[in-house]
């Protein structure tokens, strides 16, 4: 339970849902409607408080900010969400590939091949 985790640890956690919809929209300089729209497009899925209110993490706000940048440049919201999802998937694939290369280089003794 979140109550069992010290407050300092929760606030340092990028995935802790610390922000209400209103605060998240304010931080992003957007509207709650934008946050609902990117939720409907399945870019981010906010957690819900016991009262059913949406709560956002810092990680989710970074993702939402990237989508907002694209929308502000004229990209339709659905396309912006898809672009951000694909960018995130590419970054993860590149991270995994780099890990595999490091492991292979350690096993074969090949230094510094990236």
């Amino acid at each position: 339970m979140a109550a069992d985790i010290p407050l300092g640890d929760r606030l340092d956690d990028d995935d802790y849902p610390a922000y209400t919809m209103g605060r998240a929209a304010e931080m992003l300089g957007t509207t709650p409607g934008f946050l609902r729209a990117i939720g409907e497009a399945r870019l981010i899925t906010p957690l819900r408080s016991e009262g059913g209110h949406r709560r956002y993490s810092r990680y989710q706000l970074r993702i939402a900010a990237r989508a907002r940048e694209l929308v502000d440049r004229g990209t339709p919201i659905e396309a912006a969400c898809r672009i951000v999802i694909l960018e995130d998937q590419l970054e993860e694939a590149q991270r995994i590939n780099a890990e595999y290369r490091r492991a292979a280089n350690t096993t074969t003794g090949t230094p510094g091949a990236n």
Side-chain angles (χ1 to χ4, degrees):
M1 282 202 168
D4 297 339
I5 301 169
L7 179 59
D9 290 343
R10 285 182 275 161
L11 294 177
D12 290 338
D13 183 354
D14 261 3
D15 295 318
Y16 182 72
Y19 304 99
T20 63
M21 176 180 273
R23 179 68 180 129
E26 180 182 315
M27 291 170 69
L28 294 170
T30 190
T31 64
F34 175 79
L35 291 172
R36 281 191 289 276
I38 63 174
E40 289 169 10
R42 299 183 191 263
L43 177 61
I44 59 174
T45 303
L47 292 173
R48 298 281 183 154
S49 68
E50 289 182 18
H53 300 284
R54 290 174 179 90
R55 305 284 296 195
Y56 298 89
S57 68
R58 287 187 299 199
Y59 173 76
Q60 289 173 323
L61 294 183
R62 283 194 300 274
I63 297 290
R66 176 65 180 127
R68 180 170 182 247
E69 289 172 9
L70 292 168
V71 169
D72 286 351
R73 287 193 235 148
T75 306
I77 196 161
E78 296 83 12
C81 290
R82 186 67 183 141
I83 289 167
V84 173
I85 289 167
L86 290 170
E87 288 175 340
D88 197 45
Q89 289 173 344
L90 176 60
E91 185 179 314
E92 178 68 7
Q94 290 172 330
R95 184 191 62 75
I96 290 169
N97 284 339
E99 286 178 13
Y100 285 144
R101 277 191 220 105
R102 279 191 297 278
N105 292 340
T106 302
T107 303
T108 63
T110 306
N114 285 327

